[in-house]
Amino acid sequence: VFSAESFADHEQVVFVSDPDSGLRAIIAIHDTSLGPALGGCRMYPYPSEEDALRDVLRLSRGMTYKAAAAGLDLGGGKAVIIGDPRRQKTPALLQAMGRAVDRMAGRYITAEDVGTTVADFAEVHKTTRHVVGLPVELGGTGDPSPTTALGVFLGLEAAARHRWNGRTLSGRTVAVQGLGNVGWHLCRYLAEAGARLVVADVDEDRTARAAAAFSAEVVRPQAIYAVEADIFAPCAMGAVLNDETLPQLRCAIIGGAANNQLACDAHGERLRERGILYAPDFVINAGGMIRVALERDGFAQALLDDRLKGLAATLSAIFERAERDGKPTQATAIDLAQERLRAARARQAPS
Ligand code: NAI
Protein backbone atom coordinates (compact mmCIF):
# COMPACT_ATOMS: atom_id res chain seq x y z
CA VAL A 1 0.00 0.00 0.00
CA PHE A 2 2.71 2.46 0.94
CA SER A 3 4.81 4.15 -1.64
CA ALA A 4 6.56 7.40 -0.89
CA GLU A 5 5.45 8.57 -4.34
CA SER A 6 1.74 8.14 -3.63
CA PHE A 7 1.42 10.63 -0.78
CA ALA A 8 4.52 12.76 -1.32
CA ASP A 9 2.42 15.90 -1.80
CA HIS A 10 0.13 15.27 1.22
CA GLU A 11 0.63 16.88 4.63
CA GLN A 12 -0.88 14.06 6.65
CA VAL A 13 -2.55 10.71 6.08
CA VAL A 14 -4.23 8.98 9.03
CA PHE A 15 -5.44 5.37 9.13
CA VAL A 16 -8.32 4.83 11.53
CA SER A 17 -9.56 1.58 13.01
CA ASP A 18 -12.24 1.03 15.65
CA PRO A 19 -12.85 -2.71 16.11
CA ASP A 20 -15.91 -2.20 18.36
CA SER A 21 -17.92 -0.45 15.65
CA GLY A 22 -16.13 -2.04 12.68
CA LEU A 23 -14.86 1.33 11.46
CA ARG A 24 -11.95 1.30 9.02
CA ALA A 25 -11.22 4.66 7.49
CA ILE A 26 -8.52 6.91 6.06
CA ILE A 27 -8.36 10.68 6.54
CA ALA A 28 -6.08 12.52 4.11
CA ILE A 29 -5.05 16.14 4.53
CA HIS A 30 -3.53 17.34 1.30
CA ASP A 31 -2.75 21.00 1.96
CA THR A 32 -3.65 23.54 4.64
CA SER A 33 -1.76 26.57 3.24
CA LEU A 34 -5.04 28.44 2.79
CA GLY A 35 -6.82 27.14 5.89
CA PRO A 36 -8.19 23.98 7.52
CA ALA A 37 -8.80 21.10 5.11
CA LEU A 38 -12.45 20.68 4.14
CA GLY A 39 -13.80 17.69 2.27
CA GLY A 40 -16.55 15.10 2.38
CA CYS A 41 -16.44 11.67 3.94
CA ARG A 42 -17.19 8.95 1.41
CA MET A 43 -18.34 5.43 2.36
CA TYR A 44 -17.71 2.76 -0.23
CA PRO A 45 -17.01 -1.01 -0.25
CA TYR A 46 -13.46 -0.59 -1.60
CA PRO A 47 -12.07 -3.98 -2.68
CA SER A 48 -8.77 -3.24 -0.89
CA GLU A 49 -7.10 -0.71 1.41
CA GLU A 50 -4.91 0.26 -1.52
CA ASP A 51 -7.98 1.27 -3.56
CA ALA A 52 -9.29 3.31 -0.63
CA LEU A 53 -5.92 5.03 -0.18
CA ARG A 54 -5.65 5.85 -3.87
CA ASP A 55 -9.16 7.35 -3.85
CA VAL A 56 -8.69 9.47 -0.73
CA LEU A 57 -5.34 10.84 -1.95
CA ARG A 58 -6.79 11.79 -5.34
CA LEU A 59 -9.96 13.29 -3.87
CA SER A 60 -8.20 15.33 -1.16
CA ARG A 61 -5.82 16.82 -3.75
CA GLY A 62 -8.86 17.80 -5.83
CA MET A 63 -10.39 19.56 -2.81
CA THR A 64 -7.28 21.74 -2.41
CA TYR A 65 -7.65 22.95 -6.00
CA LYS A 66 -11.40 23.40 -5.64
CA ALA A 67 -11.12 25.59 -2.52
CA ALA A 68 -8.19 27.58 -3.95
CA ALA A 69 -9.96 28.27 -7.26
CA ALA A 70 -13.14 29.27 -5.41
CA GLY A 71 -11.17 31.85 -3.43
CA LEU A 72 -11.96 30.17 -0.10
CA ASP A 73 -9.60 30.28 2.87
CA LEU A 74 -9.75 26.50 3.17
CA GLY A 75 -7.42 23.65 2.41
CA GLY A 76 -8.09 20.28 0.84
CA GLY A 77 -8.85 17.05 2.65
CA LYS A 78 -11.07 14.02 2.36
CA ALA A 79 -12.02 10.92 4.32
CA VAL A 80 -13.08 7.48 3.16
CA ILE A 81 -14.78 4.78 5.20
CA ILE A 82 -14.16 1.27 3.89
CA GLY A 83 -17.49 -0.53 3.95
CA ASP A 84 -20.90 -0.99 2.39
CA PRO A 85 -23.11 1.97 3.37
CA ARG A 86 -26.26 -0.14 3.07
CA ARG A 87 -25.11 -2.82 5.51
CA GLN A 88 -22.32 -1.48 7.69
CA LYS A 89 -23.34 2.08 8.48
CA THR A 90 -24.42 2.23 12.11
CA PRO A 91 -24.69 5.06 14.66
CA ALA A 92 -21.70 3.54 16.53
CA LEU A 93 -19.57 3.56 13.36
CA LEU A 94 -20.53 7.16 12.54
CA GLN A 95 -19.76 8.29 16.09
CA ALA A 96 -16.39 6.52 15.94
CA MET A 97 -15.70 8.41 12.71
CA GLY A 98 -16.62 11.64 14.51
CA ARG A 99 -14.07 10.84 17.26
CA ALA A 100 -11.39 10.27 14.61
CA VAL A 101 -12.23 13.62 12.98
CA ASP A 102 -12.16 15.27 16.40
CA ARG A 103 -8.62 13.99 17.05
CA MET A 104 -7.51 16.04 14.02
CA ALA A 105 -8.37 19.08 16.21
CA GLY A 106 -9.94 21.17 13.43
CA ARG A 107 -7.26 20.59 10.78
CA TYR A 108 -9.86 18.48 8.92
CA ILE A 109 -13.54 19.46 8.58
CA THR A 110 -15.87 16.75 7.36
CA ALA A 111 -19.17 16.71 5.40
CA GLU A 112 -21.45 14.33 3.50
CA ASP A 113 -20.33 12.65 0.29
CA VAL A 114 -21.10 9.58 -1.84
CA GLY A 115 -22.51 6.87 0.47
CA THR A 116 -23.22 9.24 3.37
CA THR A 117 -26.14 11.61 3.97
CA VAL A 118 -26.82 14.87 5.75
CA ALA A 119 -28.72 12.81 8.38
CA ASP A 120 -25.61 10.62 9.00
CA PHE A 121 -23.72 13.74 9.94
CA ALA A 122 -26.16 14.48 12.72
CA GLU A 123 -24.68 11.28 14.23
CA VAL A 124 -21.06 12.26 13.43
CA HIS A 125 -21.77 15.66 15.02
CA LYS A 126 -22.42 13.95 18.38
CA THR A 127 -18.67 13.32 18.74
CA THR A 128 -17.11 16.25 16.86
CA ARG A 129 -18.02 19.82 16.03
CA HIS A 130 -15.79 19.84 12.95
CA VAL A 131 -18.67 19.13 10.56
CA VAL A 132 -20.36 21.27 7.89
CA GLY A 133 -23.43 20.66 5.74
CA LEU A 134 -25.50 19.72 8.80
CA PRO A 135 -29.30 19.57 8.82
CA VAL A 136 -30.95 22.96 9.44
CA GLU A 137 -32.19 21.87 12.90
CA LEU A 138 -28.54 21.39 13.95
CA GLY A 139 -27.51 24.86 12.81
CA GLY A 140 -26.36 23.83 9.33
CA THR A 141 -27.66 24.94 5.94
CA GLY A 142 -28.96 21.55 4.79
CA ASP A 143 -28.56 20.02 1.33
CA PRO A 144 -25.91 21.91 -0.70
CA SER A 145 -27.03 20.41 -4.06
CA PRO A 146 -29.37 23.23 -5.17
CA THR A 147 -26.50 25.70 -4.63
CA THR A 148 -24.16 23.48 -6.64
CA ALA A 149 -26.79 23.54 -9.40
CA LEU A 150 -27.04 27.34 -9.24
CA GLY A 151 -23.24 27.61 -9.49
CA VAL A 152 -23.25 25.34 -12.55
CA PHE A 153 -26.03 27.42 -14.10
CA LEU A 154 -24.19 30.72 -13.53
CA GLY A 155 -21.01 29.09 -14.88
CA LEU A 156 -22.83 27.96 -18.03
CA GLU A 157 -24.13 31.52 -18.50
CA ALA A 158 -20.51 32.75 -18.29
CA ALA A 159 -19.44 30.10 -20.81
CA ALA A 160 -22.27 31.11 -23.17
CA ARG A 161 -21.27 34.79 -22.94
CA HIS A 162 -17.67 33.86 -23.75
CA ARG A 163 -18.44 31.47 -26.60
CA TRP A 164 -21.27 33.42 -28.22
CA ASN A 165 -20.22 37.05 -27.73
CA GLY A 166 -22.31 38.03 -24.76
CA ARG A 167 -25.38 35.95 -25.63
CA THR A 168 -27.55 34.25 -22.98
CA LEU A 169 -28.84 30.67 -22.66
CA SER A 170 -32.28 31.51 -24.02
CA GLY A 171 -33.14 29.33 -27.00
CA ARG A 172 -30.06 27.12 -26.52
CA THR A 173 -30.30 23.34 -26.33
CA VAL A 174 -28.69 21.74 -23.26
CA ALA A 175 -28.12 17.98 -22.93
CA VAL A 176 -28.19 17.07 -19.22
CA GLN A 177 -26.76 13.71 -18.09
CA GLY A 178 -28.14 12.70 -14.67
CA LEU A 179 -31.26 14.09 -13.00
CA GLY A 180 -30.22 13.61 -9.37
CA ASN A 181 -29.92 16.22 -6.65
CA VAL A 182 -27.90 18.60 -8.81
CA GLY A 183 -29.10 17.71 -12.33
CA TRP A 184 -32.76 18.23 -11.45
CA HIS A 185 -32.24 21.72 -10.04
CA LEU A 186 -29.96 22.60 -12.96
CA CYS A 187 -32.78 21.66 -15.36
CA ARG A 188 -35.11 23.96 -13.41
CA TYR A 189 -32.73 26.94 -13.74
CA LEU A 190 -32.12 26.22 -17.43
CA ALA A 191 -35.83 25.86 -18.23
CA GLU A 192 -36.53 29.16 -16.43
CA ALA A 193 -33.83 30.80 -18.57
CA GLY A 194 -35.57 29.63 -21.77
CA ALA A 195 -33.24 26.76 -22.69
CA ARG A 196 -34.51 23.61 -24.42
CA LEU A 197 -33.60 20.40 -22.55
CA VAL A 198 -32.59 16.94 -23.69
CA VAL A 199 -32.09 14.61 -20.70
CA ALA A 200 -30.88 11.11 -19.83
CA ASP A 201 -30.87 9.10 -16.61
CA VAL A 202 -30.72 5.38 -15.84
CA ASP A 203 -33.73 6.00 -13.58
CA GLU A 204 -36.79 6.16 -15.86
CA ASP A 205 -39.00 7.74 -13.19
CA ARG A 206 -36.71 10.73 -13.19
CA THR A 207 -36.69 11.16 -16.97
CA ALA A 208 -40.50 10.86 -17.06
CA ARG A 209 -40.77 13.57 -14.39
CA ALA A 210 -38.36 15.82 -16.31
CA ALA A 211 -40.37 15.36 -19.50
CA ALA A 212 -43.49 16.47 -17.63
CA ALA A 213 -41.94 19.29 -15.58
CA PHE A 214 -39.62 20.87 -18.19
CA SER A 215 -40.97 19.56 -21.53
CA ALA A 216 -37.59 17.84 -21.81
CA GLU A 217 -36.83 15.41 -24.62
CA VAL A 218 -35.66 12.07 -23.18
CA VAL A 219 -32.89 9.95 -24.74
CA ARG A 220 -31.33 6.64 -23.68
CA PRO A 221 -28.33 6.97 -21.28
CA GLN A 222 -25.77 5.96 -23.95
CA ALA A 223 -27.27 8.37 -26.52
CA ILE A 224 -26.69 11.57 -24.53
CA TYR A 225 -23.12 12.08 -25.81
CA ALA A 226 -24.15 12.25 -29.47
CA VAL A 227 -27.08 14.63 -28.97
CA GLU A 228 -26.75 17.69 -31.18
CA ALA A 229 -26.85 20.36 -28.49
CA ASP A 230 -25.22 23.70 -27.74
CA ILE A 231 -24.17 22.53 -24.28
CA PHE A 232 -23.48 19.15 -22.66
CA ALA A 233 -23.87 19.11 -18.85
CA PRO A 234 -22.49 15.94 -17.17
CA CYS A 235 -24.20 15.62 -13.77
CA ALA A 236 -23.92 11.87 -13.08
CA MET A 237 -20.48 10.28 -12.79
CA GLY A 238 -16.79 10.95 -13.50
CA ALA A 239 -14.52 10.11 -16.48
CA VAL A 240 -17.34 10.66 -18.99
CA LEU A 241 -15.03 12.60 -21.33
CA ASN A 242 -12.90 9.77 -22.69
CA ASP A 243 -11.65 8.11 -25.89
CA GLU A 244 -15.02 6.52 -26.55
CA THR A 245 -17.25 9.56 -25.94
CA LEU A 246 -15.13 12.41 -27.33
CA PRO A 247 -15.62 11.52 -31.03
CA GLN A 248 -19.40 11.40 -30.45
CA LEU A 249 -19.77 14.89 -28.98
CA ARG A 250 -21.65 17.51 -31.00
CA CYS A 251 -21.72 20.46 -28.60
CA ALA A 252 -19.92 23.81 -28.27
CA ILE A 253 -19.68 23.97 -24.46
CA ILE A 254 -19.29 21.36 -21.69
CA GLY A 255 -20.03 22.21 -18.07
CA GLY A 256 -21.63 20.19 -15.30
CA ALA A 257 -21.53 19.04 -11.69
CA ALA A 258 -19.74 15.69 -12.00
CA ASN A 259 -16.26 15.46 -10.48
CA ASN A 260 -13.23 14.37 -12.55
CA GLN A 261 -15.04 14.51 -15.89
CA LEU A 262 -11.87 14.21 -17.98
CA ALA A 263 -10.61 10.61 -18.08
CA CYS A 264 -7.09 12.09 -18.34
CA ASP A 265 -5.41 15.45 -19.01
CA ALA A 266 -4.96 14.67 -22.72
CA HIS A 267 -8.74 14.79 -23.15
CA GLY A 268 -8.70 18.44 -22.05
CA GLU A 269 -6.26 19.16 -24.87
CA ARG A 270 -8.42 17.26 -27.38
CA LEU A 271 -11.50 19.31 -26.42
CA ARG A 272 -9.49 22.49 -26.99
CA GLU A 273 -8.34 21.28 -30.42
CA ARG A 274 -11.95 20.59 -31.37
CA GLY A 275 -13.02 24.09 -30.29
CA ILE A 276 -15.23 22.81 -27.46
CA LEU A 277 -15.18 25.18 -24.48
CA TYR A 278 -14.77 23.08 -21.32
CA ALA A 279 -15.70 24.58 -17.95
CA PRO A 280 -13.24 22.92 -15.50
CA ASP A 281 -15.32 20.69 -13.22
CA PHE A 282 -13.72 21.67 -9.92
CA VAL A 283 -14.41 25.34 -10.64
CA ILE A 284 -17.98 25.15 -11.96
CA ASN A 285 -19.18 22.62 -9.35
CA ALA A 286 -17.87 24.49 -6.26
CA GLY A 287 -21.22 26.09 -5.32
CA GLY A 288 -22.05 23.51 -2.64
CA MET A 289 -18.60 23.84 -1.08
CA ILE A 290 -18.91 27.63 -1.11
CA ARG A 291 -22.23 27.30 0.71
CA VAL A 292 -21.07 24.90 3.44
CA ALA A 293 -17.88 26.93 3.94
CA LEU A 294 -20.08 29.87 4.93
CA GLU A 295 -21.46 27.84 7.85
CA ARG A 296 -18.16 28.41 9.61
CA ASP A 297 -18.29 32.22 9.43
CA GLY A 298 -22.06 32.60 9.81
CA PHE A 299 -24.26 32.02 6.79
CA ALA A 300 -25.56 35.10 4.93
CA GLN A 301 -27.49 34.86 1.65
CA ALA A 302 -25.94 38.09 0.28
CA LEU A 303 -22.44 36.71 0.85
CA LEU A 304 -23.37 33.44 -0.86
CA ASP A 305 -24.78 35.33 -3.87
CA ASP A 306 -21.57 37.37 -4.11
CA ARG A 307 -19.37 34.28 -3.97
CA LEU A 308 -21.42 32.50 -6.65
CA LYS A 309 -21.00 35.57 -8.88
CA GLY A 310 -17.29 35.24 -8.10
CA LEU A 311 -17.37 31.60 -9.31
CA ALA A 312 -18.77 32.76 -12.67
CA ALA A 313 -16.20 35.59 -12.87
CA THR A 314 -13.37 33.14 -12.17
CA LEU A 315 -14.59 30.92 -15.00
CA SER A 316 -14.70 33.88 -17.40
CA ALA A 317 -11.12 34.76 -16.42
CA ILE A 318 -10.02 31.13 -16.97
CA PHE A 319 -11.65 31.03 -20.43
CA GLU A 320 -9.90 34.25 -21.47
CA ARG A 321 -6.50 33.26 -20.12
CA ALA A 322 -6.66 29.74 -21.61
CA GLU A 323 -7.53 31.20 -25.01
CA ARG A 324 -4.70 33.74 -24.79
CA ASP A 325 -2.16 31.08 -23.75
CA GLY A 326 -3.45 28.39 -26.15
CA LYS A 327 -3.86 25.99 -23.20
CA PRO A 328 -6.66 23.67 -22.13
CA THR A 329 -9.02 25.37 -19.64
CA GLN A 330 -8.45 22.60 -17.06
CA ALA A 331 -4.68 23.23 -17.07
CA THR A 332 -5.26 26.98 -16.74
CA ALA A 333 -7.61 26.41 -13.78
CA ILE A 334 -4.95 24.28 -12.04
CA ASP A 335 -2.34 27.01 -12.71
CA LEU A 336 -4.66 29.57 -11.11
CA ALA A 337 -5.21 27.41 -8.01
CA GLN A 338 -1.49 26.73 -7.68
CA GLU A 339 -0.67 30.44 -7.94
CA ARG A 340 -3.01 31.14 -5.02
CA LEU A 341 -1.43 28.35 -2.98
CA ARG A 342 2.10 29.57 -3.72
CA ALA A 343 1.14 33.13 -2.68
CA ALA A 344 -0.31 31.81 0.62
CA ARG A 345 2.82 29.74 1.32
CA ALA A 346 5.08 32.74 0.55
CA ARG A 347 3.12 34.86 3.07
CA GLN A 348 3.55 32.16 5.73
CA ALA A 349 7.25 31.47 5.13
CA PRO A 350 9.52 32.84 7.88
CA SER A 351 11.38 35.88 6.54
P1 NAI B 1 -27.13 11.97 -7.37
O1 NAI B 1 -26.68 10.62 -6.98
O2 NAI B 1 -28.27 12.62 -6.65
O3 NAI B 1 -27.54 11.96 -8.93
C1 NAI B 1 -26.87 11.26 -9.92
C2 NAI B 1 -27.90 10.91 -11.00
O4 NAI B 1 -27.21 10.33 -12.11
C3 NAI B 1 -28.95 9.90 -10.54
O5 NAI B 1 -30.23 10.35 -10.91
C4 NAI B 1 -28.54 8.63 -11.28
O6 NAI B 1 -29.65 7.78 -11.57
C5 NAI B 1 -27.94 9.21 -12.55
N1 NAI B 1 -27.05 8.32 -13.27
C6 NAI B 1 -26.21 7.36 -12.78
N2 NAI B 1 -25.58 6.74 -13.79
C7 NAI B 1 -26.01 7.31 -14.93
C8 NAI B 1 -25.74 7.10 -16.31
N3 NAI B 1 -24.89 6.15 -16.73
N4 NAI B 1 -26.37 7.87 -17.23
C9 NAI B 1 -27.26 8.81 -16.85
N5 NAI B 1 -27.56 9.05 -15.55
C10 NAI B 1 -26.96 8.30 -14.61
O7 NAI B 1 -25.84 12.90 -7.34
P2 NAI B 1 -25.77 14.49 -7.28
O8 NAI B 1 -25.67 14.94 -5.88
O9 NAI B 1 -26.81 15.09 -8.16
O10 NAI B 1 -24.33 14.75 -7.94
C11 NAI B 1 -24.12 14.56 -9.33
C12 NAI B 1 -22.62 14.58 -9.59
O11 NAI B 1 -22.07 15.84 -9.19
C13 NAI B 1 -21.82 13.53 -8.82
O12 NAI B 1 -20.75 13.12 -9.65
C14 NAI B 1 -21.28 14.29 -7.61
O13 NAI B 1 -20.08 13.73 -7.13
C15 NAI B 1 -21.04 15.66 -8.23
N6 NAI B 1 -21.08 16.75 -7.26
C16 NAI B 1 -22.19 16.96 -6.49
C17 NAI B 1 -22.25 18.01 -5.59
C18 NAI B 1 -23.48 18.24 -4.77
O14 NAI B 1 -23.60 19.33 -4.17
N7 NAI B 1 -24.42 17.32 -4.70
C19 NAI B 1 -21.13 18.94 -5.44
C20 NAI B 1 -20.02 18.70 -6.36
C21 NAI B 1 -20.01 17.62 -7.21
Side-chain angles (χ1 to χ4, degrees):
V1 176
F2 302 101
S3 95
E5 186 67 24
S6 61
F7 58 96
D9 62 337
H10 280 72
E11 282 180 20
Q12 192 178 9
V13 183
V14 175
F15 290 77
V16 181
S17 154
D18 180 66
D20 289 344
S21 65
L23 176 70
R24 280 193 306 147
I26 311 174
I27 300 173
I29 294 182
H30 176 252
D31 191 296
T32 58
S33 310
L34 289 166
L38 182 116
C41 174
R42 179 166 289 200
M43 182 163 186
Y44 188 79
Y46 292 101
S48 72
E49 286 176 4
E50 193 172 353
D51 288 300
L53 178 62
R54 198 176 302 117
D55 208 31
V56 77
L57 294 177
R58 183 180 61 89
L59 292 166
S60 55
R61 189 179 294 119
M63 291 308 288
T64 299
Y65 292 143
K66 189 183 281 207
L72 299 171
D73 290 330
L74 287 169
K78 201 90 184 181
V80 294
I81 299 176
I82 303 171
D84 182 345
R86 280 166 309 179
R87 293 190 299 111
Q88 285 161 281
K89 197 162 62 184
T90 59
L93 179 138
L94 292 165
Q95 287 176 25
M97 188 66 206
R99 283 193 296 277
V101 171
D102 210 57
R103 286 196 291 272
M104 309 296 287
R107 272 170 52 73
Y108 168 63
I109 302 163
T110 196
E112 63 149 326
D113 202 78
V114 176
T116 57
T117 64
V118 170
D120 292 336
F121 281 87
E123 210 58 60
V124 174
H125 188 240
K126 288 182 179 164
T127 48
T128 184
R129 60 188 177 83
H130 303 298
V131 183
V132 290
L134 285 168
V136 179
E137 49 296 1
L138 288 174
T141 56
D143 180 10
S145 307
T147 309
T148 302
L150 179 56
V152 172
F153 172 73
L154 296 172
L156 289 179
E157 279 191 324
R161 280 195 298 273
H162 181 84
R163 188 71 167 68
W164 297 307
N165 289 324
R167 299 258 171 75
T168 67
L169 295 171
S170 176
R172 297 287 173 188
T173 301
V174 186
V176 180
Q177 178 185 46
L179 299 169
N181 292 324
V182 182
W184 182 269
H185 291 285
L186 176 63
C187 284
R188 188 167 54 78
Y189 287 119
L190 289 168
E192 281 166 13
R196 197 177 78 82
L197 297 173
V198 182
V199 299
D201 197 297
V202 287
D203 182 335
E204 289 181 6
D205 279 352
R206 292 186 178 176
T207 50
R209 278 197 280 131
F214 312 120
S215 305
E217 182 189 334
V218 176
V219 298
R220 283 178 300 104
Q222 271 313 313
I224 196 76
Y225 305 104
V227 167
E228 188 154 356
D230 296 298
I231 299 176
F232 172 45
C235 297
M237 62 274 171
V240 288
L241 303 173
N242 55 45
D243 288 342
E244 199 186 312
T245 60
L246 245 66
Q248 301 176 42
L249 296 174
R250 291 191 291 165
C251 58
I253 292 172
I254 300 176
N259 285 312
N260 303 314
Q261 292 169 29
L262 297 166
C264 67
D265 292 344
H267 296 111
E269 175 60 24
R270 287 199 13 224
L271 289 174
R272 190 189 71 81
E273 286 163 5
R274 284 194 49 192
I276 297 176
L277 182 63
Y278 174 65
D281 44 18
F282 67 87
V283 184
I284 199 170
N285 75 9
M289 184 191 203
I290 291 172
R291 181 187 181 97
V292 297
L294 279 175
E295 285 177 22
R296 298 175 61 243
D297 329 319
F299 180 82
Q301 187 63 42
L303 202 52
L304 177 62
D305 294 344
D306 264 4
R307 293 203 177 158
L308 291 176
K309 275 191 210 136
L311 178 158
T314 301
L315 273 173
S316 299
I318 290 169
F319 295 147
E320 277 161 32
R321 181 166 152 184
E323 198 167 271
R324 204 174 53 232
D325 297 349
K327 277 179 95 169
T329 50
Q330 181 88 354
T332 301
I334 292 173
D335 288 348
L336 185 105
Q338 277 172 340
E339 283 160 17
R340 210 173 155 236
L341 288 164
R342 270 198 298 275
R345 286 180 201 131
R347 281 195 301 276
Q348 286 155 13
S351 48

